[in-house]
DNA sequence: TTGTACGCGTTATCAA
DNA sequence: TTGATAACGCGTACAA
């Protein structure tokens, strides 16, 4: 009696699905209600907040749901509640490996907490970024901005609408997850000082990059402390190719050690220098930032200041989810540690130039 | 008159948002209707299918919408239509750079056609993959499966529900986008034959990998044609680390040239061999597959058979979107070309071992 | 061309 | 504990 007619053979012409969505319209709570002999609202209760229904009917309903292979329609649910169980992640450049781990971290925690991750890219453009953010805002419960390029004000405006967490940048009044550069940088600079370097160049990243400035400040501070000289150079783009193009300036700077805004720049720089016959690290030491995928593919493998990007992604997602569930209302910055990863591209300079 | 009272100062207690969503409930078509002095359905028409409304009221409505900063509620729209303007992409491993370009390609075409991309990962597990796919199915209009690990039957089952496009694998009855290995492989093998190699090893990928088998078949065929000997070796995991572990087998195989299932294996293998004092390519040639990000970071840079992954992502997304818009109903396989990228890790073997 | 009325699948309110 | 019923915001026959 609990079982309806199995619709495998002759099916009366009248029982054809009314609206016939795209073929097999899925079962709704009404179907379950009918089968279980209860009201649809009871089904809703049983399925969404267990405990508010007698254990007898609860089981009845669950069985029916299982038999009908029922699954909620997220859109129908989102309409009255406004909750979508989805959050967005916007990165500056999908092909930049810096973001790979961030994406993975976010995706992992998302699915582990039964959320869906939607991804968008800003192509390093503040305008595109803002557009993407606005678009996503309509679909998600919250947003993670990784290395955002847009204004603080725009970010705050978004954050006023729905929970927003920022990675790799500090924005007043918005929860952030930021690697603290100091530990890693001071380790790096001390290592260079110990190896006899006197003059260190920093190759900066994009002008809009908040993090690039923090790193430059860190390098300056650490050099001051170790009584080394720090000089700043600019780059065109924070890519391998951009790194190659800085080689000339680097050589002209007279520095014997170089720290670059990111690993990509370091790799490009190293390739270009080596192509010119310069030996790394005998003639010049190179240190990158981030420890991205592939940083150890080079010869010599790249010394770098590692940022725990995966952790950042996880932490940001966790914070966002907590915010969504009303746990933590704080808007402060969460710092994660950086550390020097000593590999072959840095070391003592050889007397013979 | 067209403007409503600006609600900045005294707001009557009665006008508080009834349901009080999460603070600022957004404007609806009803608000626009009121402001424009028309019916809500007219607004709906004006906004969704322009042309079916007089140009006068059209403008009226558009102005009101702009003033109210209106944006559609995707969920409310999805309910009656069943369309979400969203599609899913499932990849085997987010941190595997093979998928980076695929992701980017898909994301780019998605946003360019005003779709939203949701991303999920299967962690190389068929079960996880199926779960993720089912989850996503509820939320999206279609699905792209990149290098899926699940059964053909499961894929077909999904495809029966909503449009599905597969990348890097051929599944009967499902539209696929697959790099054609032959051109690239035959170029590679001919190059090795020309360089005097006689015995070529192929390091295979995961057993579930459809593509790994295709590549092995391609290598065999090309070797036959060039009268070279082909031997097959297995790997534990298709990663850099997995590549390192194959070094012993590779040396034992007596092959003077190695092709690996992917670039990651090739890089790991090269590292391990070099660490043992073997010179690449003087003692042994190494050729990878895919030309992933970082393949040219190594010394020597990796020779590899390039698959246009970005194109695959774009093509898959385009096909999916076409399917959704009723353009193409074909379920065939779209082949994209592969080509040999000759770099430093392959070449003539030196007489002196 | 525009308005009326209803349905989409769920949650939420209020009685029973 | 349960059942009716009204939203939620939008699309769409159907009628005007």
């Amino acid at each position: 009696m609990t079982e309806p007619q199995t619709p495998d053979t002759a099916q009366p012409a009248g029982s054809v699905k009314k609206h016939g969505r795209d073929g097999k319209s899925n079962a709704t709570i009404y179907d379950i209600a009918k089968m279980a002999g209860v009201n649809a609202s009871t089904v809703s209760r049983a399925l969404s907040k267990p405990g508010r229904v007698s254990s007898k009917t609860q089981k009845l309903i669950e069985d029916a749901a299982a038999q009908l292979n029922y699954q909620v329609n997220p859109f129908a649910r989102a309409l009255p509640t406004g909750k979508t169980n989805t959050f967005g992640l916007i990165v500056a450049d999908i092909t930049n490996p810096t973001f790979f781990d961030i994406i993975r971290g976010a995706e992992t925690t998302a699915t582990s907490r039964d959320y869906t991750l939607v991804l968008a890219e800003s192509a390093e453009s503040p305008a595109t970024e803002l557009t993407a953010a606005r678009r996503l805002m309509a679909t998600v419960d919250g947003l993670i901005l990784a290395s955002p390029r847009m204004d603080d004000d725009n970010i705050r405006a978004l954050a006023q609408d729905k929970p927003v967490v920022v990675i790799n940048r500090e924005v007043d009044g918005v929860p952030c997850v930021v690697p603290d550069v100091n530990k890693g940088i001071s380790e790096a600079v001390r290592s260079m000082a110990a190896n006899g370097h006197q003059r260190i160049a920093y190759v900066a990243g994009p002008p809009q990059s908040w993090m690039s400035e923090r790193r430059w400040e860190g390098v300056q501070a650490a050099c001051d402390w170790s009584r080394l000289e720090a000089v700043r150079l600019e780059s065109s783009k924070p890519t391998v190719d951009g790194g190659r193009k800085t080689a000339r300036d680097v050589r002209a700077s007279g520095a014997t050690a170089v720290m670059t805004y990111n690993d990509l720049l370091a790799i490009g720089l190293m390739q270009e220098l080596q192509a010119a016959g310069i030996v790394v690290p005998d003639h010049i030491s190179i240190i990158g930032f981030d420890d991205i995928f592939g940083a150890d593919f080079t010869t010599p493998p790249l010394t770098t200041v590692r940022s725990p990007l995966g952790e950042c992604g996880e932490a940001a997602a966790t914070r966002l989810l907590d915010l969504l569930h009303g746990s933590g209302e704080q808007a402060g910055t969460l710092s994660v540690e950086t550390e020097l990863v000593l590999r072959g591209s840095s070391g003592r300079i050889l007397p013979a130039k």
Side-chain angles (χ1 to χ4, degrees), chain A:
Chain A
M1 284 312 157
T2 35
E3 249 179 325
Q5 69 287 27
T6 46
D8 47 4
T9 48
Q11 201 180 33
S15 84
V16 173
K17 274 299 196 285
K18 12 188 169 182
H19 224 64
R21 180 78 79 247
D22 46 23
K24 52 162 75 167
S25 281
N26 285 321
T28 75
I29 54 173
Y30 284 96
D31 301 326
I32 300 180
K34 204 178 302 174
M35 180 179 283
V38 298
N39 187 277
S41 60
T42 307
V43 176
S44 174
R45 275 189 289 259
L47 263 31
S48 48
K49 39 190 72 157
R52 303 208 56 72
V53 93
S54 86
S55 61
K56 202 180 65 184
T57 53
Q58 176 79 31
K59 178 159 171 39
L60 216 60
I61 290 173
E62 277 172 357
D63 287 351
Q67 214 168 113
L68 258 42
N69 193 6
Y70 167 82
Q71 27 195 47
V72 297
N73 180 328
F75 306 103
R77 170 174 286 180
L79 204 39
T81 62
K83 305 214 79 293
T84 71
N85 256 39
T86 287
F87 69 79
L89 170 61
I90 300 186
V91 300
D93 175 6
I94 296 192
T95 59
N96 183 331
T98 308
F99 297 111
F100 297 161
D101 285 326
I102 293 182
I103 296 176
R104 148 161 266 183
E107 203 278 339
T108 305
T109 45
T111 52
S112 85
R113 294 185 52 171
D114 213 53
Y115 266 70
T116 298
L117 198 249
V118 337
L119 184 68
E121 175 189 44
S122 71
E124 298 275 2
S125 147
T128 312
E129 187 172 69
L130 191 55
T131 308
R134 293 243 174 81
R135 249 178 63 101
L136 255 46
M137 269 318 223
T139 336
V140 302
D141 291 341
L143 207 55
I144 298 179
L145 265 23
S147 303
R149 305 300 187 211
M150 64 177 119
D151 290 343
D152 278 22
D153 286 339
N154 279 320
I155 295 178
R156 273 189 288 265
L158 291 170
Q160 213 151 354
D161 204 349
K162 286 181 179 172
V164 169
V165 176
V166 172
I167 295 180
N168 257 345
R169 172 164 155 192
E170 248 177 283
V171 180
D172 262 10
V174 178
C176 301
V177 177
V178 179
D180 173 20
V181 295
N182 289 322
K183 174 161 170 285
I185 290 183
S186 62
E187 287 175 11
V189 171
R190 262 179 311 193
S191 157
M192 289 191 277
N195 279 323
H197 296 274
Q198 313 250 24
R199 185 193 189 90
I200 295 179
Y202 173 75
V203 178
Q208 322 98 307
S209 171
W210 182 88
M211 184 53 84
S212 177
E213 294 313 303
R214 299 295 82 67
R215 289 175 177 172
W216 166 231
E217 290 170 8
V219 170
Q220 282 181 105
C223 284
D224 270 7
W225 198 87
S226 291
R227 302 187 168 269
L228 303 187
E229 192 182 352
V231 304
R232 173 181 170 130
L233 307 174
E234 302 300 328
S235 66
S236 50
K237 287 194 313 182
T239 61
V240 172
D241 210 54
R244 287 208 187 88
K245 292 186 182 139
T246 64
R248 178 204 305 259
D249 287 351
V250 166
R251 298 180 67 173
S253 74
T256 57
V258 190
M259 299 188 69
T260 60
Y261 161 63
N262 69 12
D263 289 339
L264 259 24
L265 284 168
I267 290 169
L269 172 61
M270 185 154 77
Q271 288 181 347
E272 188 72 12
L273 292 178
Q274 288 175 332
I278 297 176
V279 179
V280 178
D282 294 356
H283 298 160
I284 192 167
S285 283
I286 298 181
I287 300 184
F289 267 98
D290 291 339
D291 192 23
I292 60 167
F293 172 90
D296 56 343
F297 289 178
T298 57
T299 306
L302 189 65
T303 294
T304 186
V305 175
R306 167 186 295 155
S307 302
L309 273 355
E311 276 179 44
C312 288
E314 285 179 35
T318 304
R319 267 195 100 169
L320 187 61
L321 264 24
D322 286 350
L323 244 46
L324 256 25
H325 292 40
S327 307
E329 292 293 334
Q330 351 74 333
T333 294
L334 175 63
S335 266
V336 297
E337 287 268 288
T338 58
E339 61 176 339
L340 179 67
V341 179
L342 207 50
R343 289 198 274 245
S345 70
S346 68
R348 179 165 294 278
I349 195 166
L350 284 200
K353 172 66 186 268

